[in-house]
Amino acid sequence: MNRIREYRHTAFRLEDTHVQLRSGAFTVETLVTKRAKLLELQFERSLLQRMFGVMSVKLTNRAHPVHVTTLLDIDSSLQPLITSWFEARTKDVEIDPHSQYSSLKQEACPIPSYVEVNSK
């Protein structure tokens, strides 16, 4: 009964830069966050979920501490829509020009001068 009640109260809404999530059975959790604050998106499907054509979605939000929200039994045909919405977050994330990202990127994998690259 708890799983059925939780399924009936699960909802999400994707907008341009925001996502709204609601889940729970006896206690309902609501999360409203910006797409730029999301760190990770993960899809999981058990054998039983595959039989019913549903999946679980885990969203990891950048907070202190990191907040993980799981939506159970979402229609699996929505996976491409959710993935493309999440991948569009590259437009929202800005890298601070004063950070050391560019220097770290160059130093992360230096190729020594004595290494020869053969193309065959």
Side-chain angles (χ1 to χ4, degrees):
M1 286 300 272
N2 188 33
R3 185 69 179 244
I4 293 170
R5 187 175 167 100
E6 186 172 342
Y7 174 77
R8 292 186 54 98
H9 288 112
T10 298
F12 71 97
R13 182 176 181 179
L14 301 175
E15 295 178 4
D16 288 338
T17 59
H18 290 79
V19 62
Q20 298 176 16
L21 308 168
R22 185 182 72 204
S23 64
F26 295 105
T27 59
V28 178
E29 177 186 8
T30 302
L31 174 70
V32 179
T33 187
K34 292 182 178 182
R35 178 173 52 193
K37 299 281 185 181
L38 292 177
L39 295 174
E40 183 180 23
L41 178 68
Q42 182 178 2
F43 299 100
E44 295 177 349
R45 294 178 71 190
S46 66
L47 183 60
L48 191 60
Q49 285 178 325
R50 286 184 193 145
M51 290 172 49
F52 288 105
V54 295
M55 65 183 171
S56 297
V57 179
K58 284 186 180 180
L59 295 157
T60 306
N61 192 17
R62 185 176 63 209
H64 296 287
V66 174
H67 184 77
V68 178
T69 303
T70 303
L71 293 175
L72 300 173
D73 304 329
I74 302 296
D75 188 13
S76 60
S77 65
L78 295 174
Q79 183 175 358
L81 173 73
I82 297 169
T83 303
S84 65
W85 177 84
F86 181 72
E87 287 174 349
R89 85 184 270 277
T90 56
K91 295 182 281 186
D92 302 335
V93 177
E94 295 180 12
I95 297 175
D96 183 16
H98 302 293
S99 71
Q100 297 179 3
Y101 174 75
S102 59
S103 64
L104 289 174
K105 186 177 176 183
Q106 294 171 357
E107 295 174 7
C109 195
I111 298 174
S113 59
Y114 59 85
V115 175
E116 294 181 16
V117 180
N118 295 329
S119 60
K120 291 184 179 180

